[in-house]
Amino acid sequence: MSNDAISVPPLDAEAMRRARERQDRLTKPARSLGRLEDLSVALAGMTGRLDVPLAHRVVFTLAADHGVAAEGVSAYPKEVTPQMVLNFLNGGAAINVLARRFNARVVVADLGVDAELAPHPQLRALKVRRGTASITRGPAMSVVEALVAIEHGRSLVREETERGLDVVLTGDMGIGNTTASAALICALCRLDPVEVVGRGTGVDDAGLERKRNAVNAALEVNAERIAQGPAEALAAVGGLEIAGLAGVIIEAATRRRPVVVDGFISGAAALVAEAMAPGASAYMVASHRSHELGHGAALDHLGLKPLLDLELRLGEGTGAVLALPLLDAAMAILNEMATFDSAGVSQREP
Amino acid sequence: MSNDAISVPPLDAEAMRRARERQDRLTKPARSLGRLEDLSVALAGMTGRLDVPLAHRVVFTLAADHGVAAEGVSAYPKEVTPQMVLNFLNGGAAINVLARRFNARVVVADLGVDAELAPHPQLRALKVRRGTASITRGPAMSVVEALVAIEHGRSLVREETERGLDVVLTGDMGIGNTTASAALICALCRLDPVEVVGRGTGVDDAGLERKRNAVNAALEVNAERIAQGPAEALAAVGGLEIAGLAGVIIEAATRRRPVVVDGFISGAAALVAEAMAPGASAYMVASHRSHELGHGAALDHLGLKPLLDLELRLGEGTGAVLALPLLDAAMAILNEMATFDSAGVSQREP
């Protein structure tokens, strides 16, 4: 039951045709703005209009803890997860700084932090459980818990839609979550951990070896669960914030909102979203290529080509927010430039 | 005489050290913002301060014509150069749209358009001559003309400094100028035209063959001039807007202003600037990797790594302006984020 496909509307082919046709009449050599032109066409297809609204942009930064963090897979102690949630709420983290700069709202949600967080007007308290169990010894959580976390992610998008929501951006916080994401990417793309497991926030060689071993163990002990479908794989080796982000992406796609996908952890969530809601990837904009090892493979699996490659490996939604000016630029070009006719500029020689 | 080196101040190593030290205290894993961190350190080195000012940003879009355009090397007739200058002045071109979006001023200058342009309050009339001679039969211009064009570029920067100028951006317009730029890149980097000559604004296979032949002929007929030095090479196979842009870059570097270099044509000008003012490349930020063939070689020669790779091939300064949000982001991160101490976030485990 959990793996019934969720329906996603197709892109608007007519809007895409009109956007492409308009791009070709603007006062520039055809296709000379490269991927910006493609981006404007894609956004037109997602939203069904050429004047794609971009004013209300919300980054969903979802936090949770991971049982596997106890196994020495991160350079940071797990206390950093709740500490960073407070930092988000106080506006001092990188995602806050970038969101302010690029006019995005940050929605911070606790999907499963392993600490009691004091109530805060800016914190969405959606804790499913206090952290996952270690994926090296069994499932991270039950399938029901994973589905509840997905539903929480969907509900966040529904709530924000009422406040105004044009562009959805994904972000994450959770010590240990590159390990869970690596396991999930291996599971869903059928890759070997050596191709996917990277240094995360900066483990040394011994830590990297522990991460690889943890992912290998997780894939082995959870092999039967993984084979049952994406929700089961998510429950087996994923995480609560990853599940929430899958829900965010699914809800965005069903509502025809462009969703700017951040890096490695969001990439794992995007794989889950596409597996559960085929066609969701058509609404995804890959913001950047993470410095984390297996991210490229996840993007390839989704057919996405990242806009930026800045060797980022922070998460929080920082890479997604950095791509916003390119969305703005793409739509400004489409809607504000003069055409050859209106400007009296000669077209190509025949 | 023309090749006496112009003196460029060194970067401020102490400001760079302080910027790096501050980056490492911010609430994020060390180096997790990758190239944005490097960019903040570089900007601190250029300006000698951590609160690098970025408010006054001016794109210098310089226009000129090229005698070689008569030899079928472009997909567009040369009338497009003055037509596009009018489009710039009317605010309808891609550079205008992007500059408005990212709060940059556009300075449009005629360095050598082969047409009488009516006076316009926004047009800087600095025509050295009506277009260059064809580089396939001799020098594009005299060395004196090239030096005058460089001086015009320098004077534009000086003028804008009085109005407020924190960041310099380069841009170009000139039918035929990818051919001249390719010849100049071949001359200054000692490359073969097959490695450098690309399709520009979109010539077909026959046009590409004509471009390659033109560059080969230009390098042959001007070989002695090219060997004399960068100013002579510029005069021999370059162009008036390229010379002006070299001046813009040189003046920016001598004044310790960051200069965001656009694509292929600006890359050729940057090579001239570095050759005439060694060390100028330390003040350059490569905005993007152009879709034009030889751009990567020019960037490599300058030791620059582009921030964006969006398959752009328009010029005008569009790629440079698109990089501005990344400069903004880099400096916002450095100056607005919380530190581990101030936010009470645990550092790495020992």
Side-chain angles (χ1 to χ4, degrees):
Chain A
M1 183 199 81
S2 67
N3 286 331
D4 282 354
I6 297 164
S7 172
V8 173
L11 297 185
D12 185 330
E14 172 61 16
M16 295 176 79
R17 191 197 59 72
R18 283 189 296 129
R20 175 54 69 197
E21 188 267 341
R22 181 169 169 83
Q23 282 287 5
D24 289 345
R25 283 189 292 123
L26 301 175
T27 49
K28 56 179 174 51
R31 316 291 161 114
S32 61
L33 283 174
R35 299 197 54 209
L36 280 192
E37 299 190 22
D38 300 337
L39 181 57
S40 75
V41 173
L43 292 170
M46 296 177 204
T47 58
R49 49 201 287 185
L50 269 60
D51 58 337
V52 175
L54 297 173
H56 296 282
R57 39 184 79 189
V58 181
V59 51
F60 294 86
T61 302
L62 274 44
D65 273 305
H66 297 262
V68 74
E71 300 180 34
V73 294
S74 176
Y76 289 81
K78 81 180 174 69
E79 287 68 35
V80 167
T81 305
Q83 289 167 350
M84 283 301 297
V85 169
L86 293 181
N87 199 15
F88 297 150
L89 297 171
N90 291 329
I95 187 59
N96 304 109
V97 169
L98 294 177
R100 281 197 294 271
R101 181 74 217 179
F102 299 126
N103 302 311
R105 297 205 295 278
V106 183
V107 168
V108 182
D110 169 13
L111 272 286
V113 177
D114 188 12
E116 289 301 321
L117 293 168
H120 186 289
Q122 298 303 316
L123 175 66
R124 311 296 167 92
L126 298 170
K127 199 192 297 284
V128 177
R129 52 182 277 177
R130 283 183 59 148
T132 52
S134 177
I135 58 176
T136 61
R137 286 169 232 167
M141 61 189 122
S142 71
V143 174
V144 168
E145 286 167 335
L147 294 175
V148 169
I150 289 173
E151 180 53 31
H152 282 332
R154 297 188 68 161
S155 71
L156 286 171
V157 171
R158 282 193 293 267
E159 274 175 49
E160 292 303 315
T161 304
E162 285 164 28
R163 292 182 177 85
L165 178 58
D166 298 320
V167 185
V168 171
L169 302 96
T170 65
D172 69 283
M173 178 67 221
I175 298 300
N177 68 7
T178 59
T179 303
S181 297
L184 197 50
I185 291 169
C186 287
L188 296 175
C189 302
R190 297 170 198 275
L191 292 168
D192 190 276
V194 293
E195 301 172 79
V196 176
V197 178
R199 290 178 190 273
T201 49
V203 289
D204 56 15
D205 287 349
L208 181 62
E209 189 59 29
R210 286 192 295 272
K211 278 184 80 169
R212 281 207 199 102
N213 291 341
V215 172
N216 270 316
L219 294 172
E220 196 176 314
V221 75
N222 288 296
E224 279 185 36
R225 295 179 189 93
I226 289 168
Q228 289 172 39
E232 288 81 357
L234 171 68
V237 299
L240 291 152
E241 81 282 47
I242 301 170
L245 288 172
V248 166
I249 295 168
I250 289 168
E251 188 68 21
T254 61
R255 289 173 180 264
R256 306 188 61 181
R257 295 298 196 283
V259 51
V260 185
V261 181
D262 193 33
F264 192 68
I265 285 84
S266 290
L271 285 169
V272 174
E274 174 65 21
M276 295 183 69
S281 60
Y283 292 85
M284 299 177 192
V285 176
S287 59
H288 74 114
R289 182 179 300 277
S290 166
H291 205 48
E292 188 71 358
L293 182 62
H295 189 221
L299 294 176
D300 288 347
H301 195 88
L302 291 163
L304 300 177
K305 193 172 166 190
L307 290 168
L308 298 167
D309 185 355
L310 296 169
E311 300 170 18
L312 310 177
R313 51 184 179 83
L314 176 55
E316 302 180 3
T318 49
V321 172
L322 283 167
L324 278 174
L326 297 178
L327 276 67
D328 292 331
M331 296 320 306
I333 289 291
L334 184 65
N335 290 303
E336 297 171 26
M337 269 184 73
T339 60
F340 282 105
D341 282 349
S342 72
V345 175
S346 305
Q347 298 239 29
R348 298 169 66 94
E349 297 192 311
Chain B
M1 185 199 80
S2 68
N3 286 330
D4 283 353
I6 297 164
S7 171
V8 173
L11 297 184
D12 185 330
E14 173 59 17
M16 295 175 81
R17 191 196 60 72
R18 285 189 295 129
R20 172 56 70 198
E21 189 267 339
R22 181 169 169 83
Q23 282 287 3
D24 289 345
R25 283 190 291 124
L26 300 175
T27 48
K28 56 180 175 48
R31 317 291 161 114
S32 62
L33 284 174
R35 299 197 55 211
L36 281 191
E37 298 190 23
D38 300 337
L39 181 57
S40 75
V41 172
L43 292 169
M46 297 177 204
T47 58
R49 48 200 287 185
L50 269 60
D51 58 336
V52 174
L54 297 172
H56 296 282
R57 37 185 81 188
V58 181
V59 52
F60 294 86
T61 302
L62 275 44
D65 273 305
H66 296 261
V68 73
E71 299 180 34
V73 294
S74 176
Y76 289 81
K78 82 179 175 68
E79 287 68 34
V80 167
T81 305
Q83 289 168 350
M84 283 301 297
V85 169
L86 293 181
N87 199 16
F88 298 150
L89 297 171
N90 291 330
I95 187 58
N96 305 107
V97 169
L98 294 177
R100 281 197 294 271
R101 180 75 216 178
F102 298 126
N103 301 312
R105 297 206 295 279
V106 184
V107 168
V108 182
D110 169 12
L111 272 284
V113 178
D114 187 11
E116 290 300 321
L117 293 167
H120 186 288
Q122 298 303 315
L123 176 66
R124 311 296 166 90
L126 299 170
K127 200 192 297 284
V128 178
R129 51 182 278 179
R130 283 184 58 149
T132 51
S134 177
I135 58 176
T136 61
R137 285 167 232 169
M141 62 190 120
S142 71
V143 174
V144 168
E145 286 167 335
L147 294 175
V148 168
I150 289 173
E151 180 52 32
H152 282 332
R154 296 188 69 161
S155 71
L156 286 170
V157 171
R158 282 194 294 267
E159 275 175 49
E160 292 303 315
T161 303
E162 286 165 28
R163 291 183 178 85
L165 177 59
D166 298 320
V167 185
V168 170
L169 302 96
T170 66
D172 69 283
M173 177 68 221
I175 297 301
N177 68 6
T178 59
T179 303
S181 297
L184 198 49
I185 291 169
C186 288
L188 296 176
C189 302
R190 298 168 198 276
L191 292 168
D192 190 277
V194 293
E195 302 172 79
V196 176
V197 178
R199 290 179 189 272
T201 49
V203 288
D204 57 15
D205 288 348
L208 182 61
E209 190 60 28
R210 285 192 296 273
K211 277 184 80 168
R212 282 208 199 102
N213 291 341
V215 171
N216 271 316
L219 294 172
E220 197 176 313
V221 74
N222 287 296
E224 279 185 36
R225 295 179 191 93
I226 289 168
Q228 289 171 39
E232 289 81 357
L234 171 67
V237 300
L240 291 152
E241 81 282 47
I242 301 170
L245 288 172
V248 165
I249 295 168
I250 289 169
E251 188 68 22
T254 61
R255 289 173 179 264
R256 306 188 61 180
R257 296 298 197 281
V259 51
V260 185
V261 181
D262 194 33
F264 192 68
I265 285 83
S266 289
L271 286 168
V272 174
E274 174 64 20
M276 296 183 69
S281 60
Y283 292 85
M284 299 177 192
V285 175
S287 60
H288 74 114
R289 182 179 300 279
S290 165
H291 205 48
E292 187 72 357
L293 182 61
H295 189 223
L299 293 176
D300 288 348
H301 194 88
L302 290 163
L304 300 177
K305 193 172 165 190
L307 290 168
L308 299 167
D309 185 355
L310 296 169
E311 299 169 19
L312 310 177
R313 51 183 180 83
L314 176 55
E316 301 179 4
T318 50
V321 172
L322 284 167
L324 278 174
L326 297 178
L327 276 68
D328 292 330
M331 296 320 306
I333 288 291
L334 184 66
N335 291 304
E336 297 171 26
M337 268 184 75
T339 61
F340 282 104
D341 282 350
S342 72
V345 175
S346 305
Q347 296 239 30
R348 299 168 66 94
E349 297 192 313

